[in-house]
Amino acid sequence: MPFNNGPMIWFDGKLVRWEDATVHVTAHVLHYGSSVFEGIRTYETVNGSAIFRLEPHMRRLMRSAKLARIDMQWTQDELMQAAVDVVEHNGQPSCYIRPIVFRGSEQFGVDGRACPTQVAIMSIEWGRYLGADAIEQGVDVGVSSWRRMAPGANMAMGKIGGQYVNSQFIAMEAHDQGFNDAIALDMSGYVSEGSGENVFVIIDNVVYTPPVSSSILAGVTRDSAMKILGALGYEVREQTVARDMLYIADEIFFTGTAAEITPVRSVDRMTVGSGSRGPITKAVQDQFFGITSGRLPDQFGWLTPVTIRQTAVGD
Ligand code: PMP
């Protein structure tokens, strides 16, 4: 098993053992990417474990299902409770929670709405997504030759499984070129986002981040960074970002549940700013990691405390 998984998965309303949470090869989702999903972190804080921003993640899951026209038999509150149950049962003080909603087996037609909706929530242990040093040292990225999805062809606001084929092209090309990740442009040539991260660009103490109309997923961590920056008194401009701005930026950072707040130290092998983590990036990180470790007060109400069982059920 390549990951350190929690022993139980919430699957269609019941906690089942990891190895029993299976689907049939005829499932619509396997053929046509008809799923919506989330990625949520549980942090081990100094006051015990807590899920980070559970409510906006589950709200986005519900909205993604609506965009994908997948009927949901569960309410947002029920899924929030199910996520808490999974974390509490699985005995992992810090973990990555993956809820997924998908079309199961019933018909081979593309439409798929006759297929039953199935829902699973699992947890795995997952450390630093972009490498152990990335948080301090930053990552090297390139501008992808792949564009983000065109408006009118897909719906970037939804975290829809099939749309991640685009992200895979971006990530695979970046890795083949020796980069940690890439920044993709939208169909108009403006900066969109990374393969699984939103991007912030800082020039002359002003913080820029692309708007939803630049084919981004509206990240929960992006929202957290914007709130932190606002509280610190920085101006954040949600506006189209020209590719040129990447090359003259004083600082760039990525945000994402997996990537957290990660500085970008070069773009297309050109150094960003001084080449080391900039002061605004550090200030956002200090707040973000302060809150998620429990060392700073949870001033925005972002943490849902959970009680981790000592002996995981299913062991
Ligand atoms: N963009 C894409 C394409 C993503 O997959 C993710 C990860 N969910 C993000 C941005 C960052 O979103 P969040 O901060 O909600 O994890």
Side-chain angles (χ1 to χ4, degrees):
M1 197 70 76
F3 24 62
N4 205 350
N5 61 275
M8 304 298 278
I9 293 180
W10 187 93
F11 197 22
D12 291 335
K14 289 193 291 288
L15 282 173
V16 302
R17 297 178 69 89
W18 174 276
E19 46 282 4
D20 296 331
T22 56
V23 293
H24 195 263
V25 290
T26 55
H28 191 269
V29 61
L30 275 181
H31 304 254
Y32 305 115
S34 46
S35 66
V36 298
F37 66 103
E38 272 304 318
I40 310 170
R41 272 191 193 263
T42 302
Y43 285 94
E44 186 172 15
T45 83
V46 293
N47 310 306
S49 291
I51 304 178
F52 185 69
R53 305 207 68 185
L54 177 59
E55 200 272 335
H57 277 292
M58 284 304 185
R59 190 181 342 130
R60 186 171 65 187
L61 184 73
M62 301 300 285
R63 287 181 176 167
S64 295
K66 189 171 185 190
L67 289 174
R69 304 184 63 185
I70 297 178
D71 286 339
M72 268 285 247
Q73 64 274 52
W74 304 99
T75 64
Q76 182 181 315
D77 284 348
E78 286 168 336
L79 293 181
M80 285 170 62
Q81 185 57 50
V84 169
D85 290 347
V86 168
V87 172
E88 294 196 336
H89 274 85
N90 276 347
Q92 299 165 315
S94 88
C95 62
Y96 177 87
I97 309 165
R98 166 57 56 82
I100 184 166
V101 180
F102 58 93
R103 294 201 201 280
S105 305
E106 194 69 39
Q107 60 162 215
F108 264 75
V110 169
D111 183 316
R113 280 175 292 178
C115 300
T117 301
Q118 295 194 265
V119 184
I121 305 177
M122 61 210 84
S123 73
I124 62 167
E125 281 172 24
W126 205 357
R128 296 274 180 251
Y129 177 61
L130 293 171
D133 296 340
I135 298 290
E136 268 183 46
Q137 303 301 316
V139 290
D140 301 307
V141 307
V143 172
S144 184
S145 76
W146 295 100
R147 293 293 171 97
R148 288 279 296 161
M149 59 200 73
N154 284 92
M155 289 191 278
M157 277 193 89
K159 202 165 165 59
I160 300 174
Q163 295 183 165
Y164 278 77
V165 173
N166 175 253
S167 301
Q168 290 172 50
F169 291 147
I170 295 165
M172 289 189 291
E173 180 190 67
H175 297 157
D176 285 349
Q177 292 177 341
F179 295 122
N180 299 93
D181 200 357
I183 294 174
L185 306 177
D186 67 14
M187 287 307 291
S188 306
Y190 294 114
V191 172
S192 178
E193 61 178 353
S195 64
E197 307 87 16
N198 294 113
V199 63
F200 286 72
V201 179
I202 298 152
I203 302 171
D204 295 337
N205 286 319
V206 178
V207 186
Y208 301 87
T209 196
V212 166
S213 50
S214 293
S215 292
I216 64 161
L217 181 79
V220 174
T221 323
R222 171 182 180 271
D223 178 73
S224 308
M226 288 169 79
K227 291 198 163 91
I228 288 171
L229 284 159
L232 292 174
Y234 289 102
E235 186 186 347
V236 186
R237 294 192 195 157
E238 209 175 348
Q239 61 163 67
T240 46
V241 172
R243 175 176 183 166
D244 329 16
M245 291 164 73
L246 298 174
Y247 301 127
I248 59 159
D250 302 315
E251 302 179 38
I252 300 176
F253 63 84
F254 274 151
T255 63
T257 297
E260 299 170 297
I261 311 282
T262 299
V264 174
R265 71 175 169 198
S266 71
V267 180
D268 288 339
R269 318 229 182 261
M270 284 188 264
T271 303
V272 176
S274 65
S276 58
R277 176 174 59 182
I280 299 181
T281 306
K282 168 106 172 32
V284 177
Q285 284 186 327
D286 286 348
Q287 292 294 314
F288 181 85
F289 292 116
I291 293 168
T292 53
S293 64
R295 282 181 282 103
L296 290 180
D298 179 19
Q299 59 165 315
F300 302 100
W302 286 342
L303 302 179
T304 301
V306 283
T307 309
I308 305 295
R309 302 227 177 137
Q310 290 305 310
T311 311
V313 175
D315 276 0

